[in-house]
Amino acid sequence: FRRINTWYTEVMKVCSEDTPVLVVGNKMDRAKHLPLEDVIQMDEAINLAQELNSAMYMEVSAKEGYGVCEGCSIITTAMLAKRFEKTRAQQDTNISLDNEEDSSCCF
């Protein structure tokens, strides 16, 4: 958690700004066994995710298998949706240009 800003900066060096980001709080199975001051509070993690332009935050426990598959599904779906948006916008631009060419030939 304390190094997430560094990791985020490194990721953004090779990804575009609109790349979906999922902030994952791991080891939630250990939270009940740790002193309260060692546990990152959910609202603190959500605030950090929002600061990083990520609307997505979730908690998982790899040990217990809680949330891992869901996290993979969430980020995959977000990435595919972003790809679809870009492809759709590109197609709309091409259609618009094609229509402009067609209309000019009719005059």
Side-chain angles (χ1 to χ4, degrees), residues 37-50:
E37 63 270 6
D38 290 343
V39 177
I40 306 301
Q41 299 303 310
M42 184 183 287
D43 59 338
E44 187 179 4
I46 290 170
N47 288 338
L48 178 62
Q50 291 172 344

Side-chain angles (χ1 to χ4, degrees), residues 17-86:
E17 285 184 18
D18 64 345
T19 299
V21 176
L22 172 63
V23 176
V24 178
N26 192 21
K27 300 185 185 287
M28 60 183 280
D29 54 281
R30 294 186 62 207
K32 56 190 164 204
H33 304 294
L34 294 173
L36 189 56
E37 63 270 6
D38 290 343
V39 177
I40 306 301
Q41 299 303 310
M42 184 183 287
D43 59 338
E44 187 179 4
I46 290 170
N47 288 338
L48 178 62
Q50 291 172 344
E51 288 173 19
L52 298 176
N53 297 321
S54 169
M56 299 182 290
Y57 169 76
M58 69 177 301
E59 295 181 335
V60 303
S61 169
K63 180 180 178 181
E64 294 178 358
Y66 174 79
V68 177
C69 290
E70 292 85 351
C72 291
S73 294
I74 288 168
I75 194 63
T76 300
T77 301
M79 292 167 64
L80 291 172
K82 187 58 69 175
R83 172 68 77 165
F84 178 77
E85 286 175 22
K86 286 182 178 181

